[in-house]
Amino acid sequence: MGSARAQVGEHLPEAYAELADLSGILDGVLDARTHLLVKLRASVLNGCAFCLDMHSHEALAAGVDTRRLALVVTWREAGDHFTEAERAVLELVDTVTAIGERGVPDHVYAAVAAHFPDREVVALITAIGLINLYNRLGIATGMTPPLR
């Protein structure tokens, strides 16, 4: 990126605070590992280095196996490293993130609904939308991962 870009947290902190509140609500509904899986996969798809770094760091701190973390990129080919429910969630993330003109096919929705109650299905869709917004904010404002 050329010159420094305006940051949401600096110029519109009240919006960032609202997004954080929404994330907290979702944390109360979704299993932490499932929520992390959503954040990781969408960040991979969107190419958001800042969010991918942050959520990878969180996943490692939460004890997520490094192999599973790496395999999020190629989850379809990862075999039994992801449960049937996790594969349904990952497919939903892929579909909603690239929603375009196709929408969310009934079979994708049904696969998730077979494993989660309606409240969690809605929370998953909301979490996917939220991380997509965070990814877009991070990329558009030129956020880069900190050196660790």
Side-chain angles (χ1 to χ4, degrees):
M1 305 269 150
S3 59
R5 297 184 180 194
Q7 298 298 306
V8 176
E10 179 182 345
H11 297 285
L12 201 56
E14 62 275 24
Y16 233 41
E18 293 292 330
L19 296 177
D21 287 349
L22 177 54
S23 187
I25 291 168
L26 297 171
D27 284 338
V29 176
L30 297 172
D31 170 76
R33 287 183 181 237
T34 302
H35 198 183
L36 271 171
L37 200 58
V38 166
K39 293 173 187 178
L40 289 166
R41 181 61 184 167
S43 297
V44 165
L45 292 172
N46 290 318
C48 185
F50 182 85
C51 291
L52 187 57
D53 175 73
M54 177 173 53
H55 299 305
S56 295
H57 189 71
E58 290 172 353
L60 291 170
V64 173
D65 179 72
T66 55
R67 288 183 69 201
R68 277 178 45 94
L69 186 61
L71 290 171
V72 166
V73 174
T74 58
W75 68 268
R76 284 182 181 84
E77 294 79 26
D80 292 336
H81 288 278
F82 297 101
T83 67
E84 186 178 323
E86 289 170 332
R87 287 192 299 271
V89 168
L90 289 163
E91 182 69 35
L92 184 66
V93 173
D94 287 9
T95 303
V96 173
T97 298
I99 202 160
E101 296 176 10
R102 294 175 293 143
V104 176
D106 289 341
H107 73 277
V108 173
Y109 188 93
V112 170
H115 297 282
F116 298 93
D118 287 347
R119 180 173 170 80
E120 289 181 39
V121 171
V122 171
L124 284 166
I125 294 168
T126 304
I128 296 165
L130 181 59
I131 190 58
N132 275 281
L133 175 57
Y134 272 127
N135 291 163
R136 283 151 177 74
L137 291 171
I139 292 167
T141 62
M143 295 174 72
T144 57
L147 297 176
R148 294 188 195 276

